[in-house]
Amino acid sequence: MEIRIGNDIDKERILGIRPIAAPYFTNDYFLVAQDGEGDILGFATVSLREIPAPVPGREAFILLIEILEEENYRKGIASLLVQKIIELEKEKDTYQVRAYCDIWNEGSHRLWWKNGFGISPVKNQDGSILGSFVTYAL
């Protein structure tokens, strides 16, 4: 399996399968997980932005990670995508990698925990939990 930065052809292929993902493709970058036959198994979209706090650097915010076929769930593909983002961002002036996951998405919470991210639940005023912001400081 190859994890690499995606291109316009990859984006067209992905959106042909998952058109609902279009808003998550920014002008920054995305990664694809591709098998030996050239099939895209999954992808991750990343937005780069300055941190709105008095610390140096920027953050890489993972907007979306998706594995395209259920048969490929729980095979480590999402972890490989996350680890590649961390590797790429360590080479740049990046302070942290962050993401958000909904509270009902147990698999996503396990992905972040397994990859060493800190997990911070987000609460409503009534105390209910919407989801979690996750952070990996570089």
Side-chain angles (χ1 to χ4, degrees), residues 2-119:
E2 178 186 17
I3 307 294
R4 61 175 174 75
I5 294 178
N7 58 40
D8 288 340
I9 293 170
D10 297 323
K11 182 178 174 181
E12 286 179 31
R13 289 174 62 197
I14 291 167
L15 293 179
I17 299 166
R18 291 284 192 284
I20 197 165
Y24 298 98
F25 284 86
T26 67
N27 291 331
D28 296 316
Y29 71 93
F30 68 99
L31 299 179
V32 294
Q34 189 172 8
D35 69 12
E37 285 117 42
D39 292 327
I40 295 175
L41 304 177
F43 66 96
T45 63
V46 180
S47 176
L48 304 173
R49 58 190 186 188
E50 293 301 313
I51 300 170
V55 295
R58 66 174 189 190
E59 72 177 12
F61 196 90
I62 302 172
L63 297 169
L64 179 65
I65 294 180
E66 186 159 351
I67 306 307
L68 295 175
E69 300 292 335
E70 191 171 342
E71 67 191 37
N72 291 317
Y73 290 2
R74 291 176 291 286
K75 290 187 176 180
I77 298 168
S79 284
L80 290 172
L81 289 163
V82 168
Q83 290 302 313
K84 184 67 171 183
I85 292 166
I86 290 170
E87 176 188 319
L88 290 171
E89 294 306 322
K90 279 184 177 179
E91 298 170 0
K92 301 175 184 174
D93 186 28
T94 305
Y95 175 75
Q96 64 188 11
V97 176
R98 286 194 328 137
Y100 176 82
C101 57
D102 293 317
I103 194 60
W104 54 264
N105 195 335
E106 185 178 339
S108 182
H109 278 83
R110 277 193 244 130
L111 167 71
W112 303 117
W113 173 77
K114 183 173 92 173
N115 284 282
F117 281 67
I119 299 172

